[in-house]
């Protein structure tokens, strides 16, 4: 799965997710990636998010819409909302994975309950950052 999130100069947010699905999936299976609010979500007032992991769990947990709702209705920031969903809620539904999440101010986070998640992003001051594991700087 490849995901992307972006914010433009007008503070418009966008998210996209492309996937081949899970290995050995049943013919016709639809995972979370194409489902808005599950594997992909963008709302200008909250977050652009793109997820990867066991799609059935991300669908059941309405993962990316829940990140947005925690920000909108609970006042959580993008990092705490994404952490709450990915690390505290989804594993209880039986799945692991990760999300890239960006808010309108350009605040980015990429929590994952999976062992690693290949992530790359460009910082405000033009620095390219890539990482696989959470403990990398
Ligand atoms: N989330 C994708 C799916 O369930 C798989 C993945 O992210 O690796 O179709």
């Amino acid at each position: 799965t490849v995901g992307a999130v972006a914010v433009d100069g007008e503070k418009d947010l966008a998210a996209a997710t492309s996937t081949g699905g899970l290995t050995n999936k049943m013919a016709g299976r639809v995972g979370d990636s194409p489902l808005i609010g599950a594997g992909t979500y963008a709302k200008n007032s909250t977050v652009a998010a793109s997820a990867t992991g066991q799609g059935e769990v991300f669908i059941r947990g309405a993962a990316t819409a829940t990140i947005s709702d925690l920000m909108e209705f609970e006042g959580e920031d993008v990092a705490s909302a994404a952490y709450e969903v990915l690390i505290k809620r989804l594993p209880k539904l039986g799945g692991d994975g990760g999300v890239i999440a960006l808010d309108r101010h350009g605040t980015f986070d990429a929590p994952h309950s999976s062992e690693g998640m290949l992530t790359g992003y460009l910082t405000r001051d033009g620095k390219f950052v890539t990482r696989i594991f959470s403990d990398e700087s």
Side-chain angles (χ1 to χ4, degrees):
T1 294
V2 176
V5 291
V7 59
D8 71 9
E10 304 295 317
K11 294 194 185 298
D12 287 327
L13 289 170
T17 311
S18 173
T19 188
L22 291 175
T23 309
N24 298 328
K25 64 189 175 294
M26 284 173 57
R29 171 201 180 262
V30 176
D32 61 319
S33 301
L35 302 180
I36 301 305
T40 308
Y41 193 75
K43 181 177 184 179
N44 274 353
S45 57
T46 54
V47 69
S50 173
T52 180
Q54 283 135 313
E56 285 71 8
V57 173
F58 283 72
I59 294 169
R60 231 175 279 136
T64 53
T66 302
I67 294 171
S68 177
D69 289 348
L70 287 172
M71 293 175 70
E72 183 173 356
F73 301 113
E74 299 291 332
E76 296 202 20
D77 63 30
V78 62
S80 57
Y83 182 89
E84 169 68 24
V85 173
L86 262 290
I87 308 301
K88 296 176 73 177
R89 295 190 187 192
L90 291 188
K92 287 179 186 161
L93 294 177
D96 68 11
V99 71
I100 53 174
L102 179 71
D103 74 8
R104 57 186 285 117
H105 307 295
T107 307
F108 174 82
D109 205 8
H112 53 89
S113 55
S114 50
E115 188 185 348
M117 180 171 73
L118 281 77
T119 309
Y121 56 93
L122 177 62
T123 65
R124 245 184 278 268
D125 54 5
K127 189 174 151 217
F128 284 103
V129 179
T130 56
R131 72 171 180 226
I132 300 176
F133 303 104
S134 303
D135 58 357
E136 295 175 49
S137 56

